[in-house]
Amino acid sequence: MNGQGRVSPGSAAPADERGCSWLNIWVFLIFALAVKAAFVALCLWLVVPFCHSSDQPSALQQQFSQWECDSAVPQGTDGGWTCCPKGWRRFQGSCYFLSSDTMNCAESAQNCGGMGSQLVVISSKAEQDFLSKLKNQLQKNQQLKRDNFYIGLFEKKEGQWQWVDKTPYNETATFWRAGEPNDGHDENCTVRHMPEETLNNWNDVKPDVPHYRICEAAAVIV
């Protein structure tokens, strides 16, 4: 035999074999890019707060695995997405949760804290208006048939009101109902009285009475 059809050691591989090798490389690269794209999509839509960085997750992040994100980012912050736990509602840089069960004042504060949030601190007319419109929206969709919701405003001493996060109490930026708060009667917790049609719907109540609650936490920026 004259050895035709054999490739001697050190000689170049036939053209068809070299083409097959390059094809395998391209197939591998395309597959790797597809896997990376799928991982990025998973980060953005399912667990985006946890894929973004190695920073210690916030208390809110540690409590929830499902998130809803959009591209609206509060002014002056870095990042491309603003995220809230699934089922929460976002306004500016905060996420809000309206409960479907009732607890007393202390239990409500504890429950919000256990979710990595706090009873809502209302610091502007825009925020008060948002919560009123949210109530109307949920009622329209028959998701809300509730009256009073605890917020994070407490009477530390007679006539001395204080927000749960120590935000200074500004009497000119409050939304009390007419005649409220009424001193005495051991009414040292505050609710939003939802049936009230105006923005002035805060009412001081006794702490042992069960009501619904509104929890608030800073949105996760990624």
Side-chain angles (χ1 to χ4, degrees), residues 121-191:
V121 174
I122 302 172
S123 57
S124 69
K125 181 180 179 181
E127 187 175 17
Q128 174 78 350
D129 185 54
F130 162 77
L131 292 173
S132 296
K133 290 179 179 178
L134 177 58
K135 179 266 295 187
N136 294 335
Q137 177 186 348
L138 294 177
Q139 282 184 329
K140 184 177 180 180
N141 296 335
Q142 297 182 340
Q143 295 177 267
L144 182 67
K145 296 180 179 179
R146 312 161 203 168
D147 292 333
N148 296 328
F149 283 74
Y150 277 117
I151 65 175
L153 184 60
F154 306 93
E155 189 176 37
K156 187 176 181 180
K157 295 181 180 179
E158 187 70 27
Q160 296 182 12
W161 291 90
Q162 179 177 295
W163 289 105
V164 65
D165 67 347
K166 304 299 189 284
T167 295
Y169 176 73
N170 182 0
E171 191 170 353
T172 63
T174 59
F175 301 91
W176 294 104
R177 298 177 68 195
E180 303 291 344
N182 49 6
D183 294 333
H185 312 294
D186 297 324
E187 297 180 343
N188 52 16
C189 288
T190 307
V191 297

Side-chain angles (χ1 to χ4, degrees), residues 76-91:
T77 58
D78 296 327
W81 296 86
T82 303
C83 304
C84 288
K86 187 175 182 179
W88 292 50
R89 303 302 178 97
R90 187 181 68 82
F91 174 70

Side-chain angles (χ1 to χ4, degrees), residues 19-161:
C20 183
S21 298
W22 279 110
L23 178 62
N24 290 339
I25 292 174
W26 279 109
V27 169
F28 173 79
L29 290 175
I30 293 172
F31 175 76
L33 288 173
V35 171
K36 182 177 180 180
F39 176 76
V40 171
L42 182 66
C43 286
L44 288 176
W45 298 111
L46 296 180
V47 290
V48 61
F50 303 98
C51 298
H52 177 68
S53 70
S54 60
D55 295 339
Q56 180 67 26
S58 67
L60 186 70
Q61 288 173 268
Q62 295 176 19
Q63 298 300 319
F64 297 94
S65 59
Q66 292 185 305
W67 295 75
E68 295 175 335
C69 304
D70 59 52
S71 58
V73 177
Q75 187 175 5
T77 58
D78 296 327
W81 296 86
T82 303
C83 304
C84 288
K86 187 175 182 179
W88 292 50
R89 303 302 178 97
R90 187 181 68 82
F91 174 70
Q92 295 180 351
S94 293
C95 305
Y96 300 84
F97 171 77
L98 279 67
S99 77
S100 59
D101 62 325
T102 61
M103 296 180 177
N104 66 33
C105 187
E107 291 170 341
S108 294
Q110 184 177 13
N111 178 264
C112 290
M115 293 191 292
S117 61
Q118 63 185 16
L119 285 172
V120 62
V121 174
I122 302 172
S123 57
S124 69
K125 181 180 179 181
E127 187 175 17
Q128 174 78 350
D129 185 54
F130 162 77
L131 292 173
S132 296
K133 290 179 179 178
L134 177 58
K135 179 266 295 187
N136 294 335
Q137 177 186 348
L138 294 177
Q139 282 184 329
K140 184 177 180 180
N141 296 335
Q142 297 182 340
Q143 295 177 267
L144 182 67
K145 296 180 179 179
R146 312 161 203 168
D147 292 333
N148 296 328
F149 283 74
Y150 277 117
I151 65 175
L153 184 60
F154 306 93
E155 189 176 37
K156 187 176 181 180
K157 295 181 180 179
E158 187 70 27
Q160 296 182 12
W161 291 90

